[in-house]
Amino acid sequence: MKIRTIETLALKVPIGAKTFYSSQARFPERNSLLVKITTDDGLVGWGEGGQYGPGEPVASAVVDVLGPRLIGRRADQPVRIWEDNYSFSRDFGRTGTYVEAMSAIDIALWDIWGKSLGRPVHHLMGGAFRDRAMAYGTGCYYPEFFRDTPRMMEALAEEVAGYEAAGVTAVKIKLGLLSVAEDRARIELIRNTVGPAVRLMADANHAYNAATALRIGRVMDSHDFLWFEEPVPPEDHDGYRLLRTKLDTPIAGGECEFARFGFRDFIGKGCVDIVQPDICASGGFSEFAKILATAGQHGVLTIPHVWGSGVAVAAALQAIATIPPMPHTAAPVTLQNEPMVEYDRTMNPLRDGILHENFKLEDGAVAIPDGPGLGISVDEGALAGYVAQRRVVEG
Ligand code: CA
């Protein structure tokens, strides 16, 4: 079971009229960087690296730097290979692109290892605590016409009503592109549009300084929001701690942190109530186990971030299966001590159109695959239409 080839596939798809904004950027396309590893005995594993940054630098880290050292190595030793990759790139890596590349390789190797044994990744990681995860819808971004307030508000009401009709029981909305006054109006519209049974969270994508985050956070407090995600930049640990002290709404974050070392500081300094490692960015399954252990020791609930292709969703579901109720109770309650899966509702053919499987909602939950490895099969025919760049490392 030796690694024979490593391919990178940079996928891109323009989304035309569905173009949207977060507080940080305009999104005219969706992209994902997939890694496909093949062994000498014909096993194939898939991984994904990064969340929404460009895929090509991650591909270069895989193909030009890390990958050539892995050809001929045993595929069923992902932790060992992670440590070797991290040690090799420590002096020039440690965060960002290199850890994203390591994440993709790691996910693909766990997929191969699981397939070689006929067991899902969550089994190899020690066993599943659940076979389904309640889903929260991520949406309510800003449209291209966000400066046309009446039109934006009308579209927002229509969108959020659609989630409720589709059976989504929790919705995460976007904040931070507009002023506090304008975003307060969006919050109030959404709260008044959906019934009280729909739970709400908000994500600012680190748009605010602590003082401004406190102002909008108090609006969330008055509307019983379940978390306030990335209120301030990831480097502002003092800002995070201040908000956690001053607001009733739980504070969430972590999608921009990397490896156990970033999370040691982020969790250990008391920045968050809910930590959100992205499996495809923070170090794959090997590192997720260590981040989860750190969170557990600090009484922090882990709810992975996921915003990528169908491969990323599958990886997140495998990881979510392994999260113990935090803390234990005999009947865990969603979001109190039981994780959810992020269910991105923006247009993304890479999420919905490259697998033979489909992650459908049933009673507000998504089933966790229990087939070998990631429990999915990639539709390479469908995938081919989205490949913008393909690179290969082979022996
Ligand atoms: Ca986020």
Side-chain angles (χ1 to χ4, degrees):
M1 201 194 309
K2 291 184 174 156
I3 297 172
R4 191 183 69 199
T5 60
I6 305 176
E7 293 174 61
T8 59
L9 299 153
L11 310 180
K12 284 185 189 170
V13 52
I15 54 174
K18 299 284 188 183
T19 293
F20 58 89
Y21 282 79
S22 72
S23 73
Q24 299 301 312
R26 179 173 178 265
F27 290 86
E29 66 175 29
R30 297 302 299 264
N31 61 60
S32 282
L33 190 281
L34 299 190
V35 166
K36 176 184 177 185
I37 299 181
T38 307
T39 66
D40 58 359
D41 49 359
L43 289 169
V44 172
W46 289 90
E48 180 161 347
Q51 32 162 329
Y52 76 87
E56 289 82 353
V58 184
S60 176
V62 172
V63 174
D64 298 321
V65 185
L66 303 174
R69 306 175 68 253
L70 303 180
I71 301 299
R73 295 274 304 266
R74 282 191 68 105
D76 58 351
Q77 298 182 336
V79 173
R80 172 70 206 275
I81 286 179
W82 199 98
E83 294 296 330
D84 288 350
N85 279 337
Y86 190 83
S87 301
F88 176 72
S89 58
R90 173 175 272 124
D91 289 10
F92 48 88
R94 292 211 302 276
T95 64
T97 297
Y98 278 96
V99 179
E100 292 170 353
M102 282 178 234
S103 305
I105 292 168
D106 185 82
I107 293 165
L109 294 179
W110 280 86
D111 189 26
I112 288 173
W113 187 19
K115 284 170 175 166
S116 76
L117 298 172
R119 300 300 303 155
V121 169
H122 58 66
H123 177 90
L124 273 53
M125 292 180 76
F129 286 88
R130 58 194 62 76
D131 58 11
R132 62 204 285 275
M134 291 300 288
Y136 72 87
T138 295
C140 299
Y141 284 76
Y142 298 86
E144 286 264 61
F145 48 86
F146 69 88
R147 294 197 189 282
D148 181 346
T149 304
R151 190 178 166 204
M152 176 186 70
M153 297 297 260
E154 192 181 330
L156 189 60
E158 192 180 326
E159 180 185 347
V160 78
Y163 295 143
E164 193 173 17
V168 176
T169 60
V171 177
K172 188 170 84 185
I173 70 168
K174 290 287 168 170
L175 295 176
L177 185 67
L178 299 170
S179 69
V180 168
E182 289 166 298
D183 274 341
R184 173 199 281 266
R186 294 173 77 251
I187 288 173
E188 288 168 352
L189 175 85
I190 291 164
R191 184 72 280 177
N192 293 333
T193 302
V194 297
V198 175
R199 295 166 293 178
L200 296 174
M201 306 87 129
D203 182 1
N205 293 101
H206 49 76
Y208 304 121
N209 58 35
T212 311
L214 200 50
R215 290 172 59 211
I216 195 89
R218 289 193 169 126
V219 178
M220 282 177 227
D221 280 354
S222 69
H223 288 286
D224 198 23
F225 271 56
L226 293 179
W227 80 59
F228 185 2
E229 176 172 326
E230 287 204 291
V232 295
E235 301 89 343
D236 184 7
H237 289 180
D238 290 344
Y240 264 104
R241 279 203 299 270
L242 178 86
L243 294 166
R244 216 180 149 203
T245 311
K246 298 271 188 190
L247 294 174
D248 295 337
T249 305
I251 303 298
E255 69 183 74
C256 301
E257 292 294 338
F258 298 92
R260 79 195 78 146
F261 311 104
F263 286 90
R264 171 194 64 196
D265 296 339
F266 194 60
I267 296 167
K269 288 182 180 176
C271 293
V272 284
D273 300 288
I274 296 162
V275 72
Q276 300 169 297
D278 188 308
I279 313 303
C280 301
S282 60
F285 295 118
S286 299
E287 210 61 359
F288 178 75
K290 299 171 177 79
I291 295 164
L292 181 62
T294 303
Q297 291 171 76
H298 288 84
V300 167
L301 185 58
T302 300
I303 300 185
H305 172 265
V306 55
W307 207 66
S309 80
V311 174
V313 176
L317 287 168
Q318 292 295 321
I320 287 168
T322 71
I323 300 171
M326 185 42 247
H328 175 268
T329 59
V333 177
T334 302
L335 278 187
Q336 285 183 199
N337 62 346
E338 177 71 4
M340 301 189 86
V341 61
E342 179 162 14
Y343 199 63
D344 172 25
R345 295 294 79 206
T346 56
M347 185 185 179
N348 188 358
L350 305 179
R351 181 192 60 230
D352 301 326
I354 65 163
L355 303 182
H356 291 293
E357 298 78 10
N358 210 330
F359 298 114
K360 286 203 176 68
L361 274 190
E362 268 183 49
D363 298 328
V366 179
I368 294 170
D370 62 358
L374 294 174
I376 52 165
S377 53
V378 173
D379 182 344
E380 295 197 53
L383 189 77
Y386 302 121
V387 176
Q389 182 207 59
R390 177 177 176 270
R391 302 187 64 193
V392 187
V393 193
E394 48 199 346

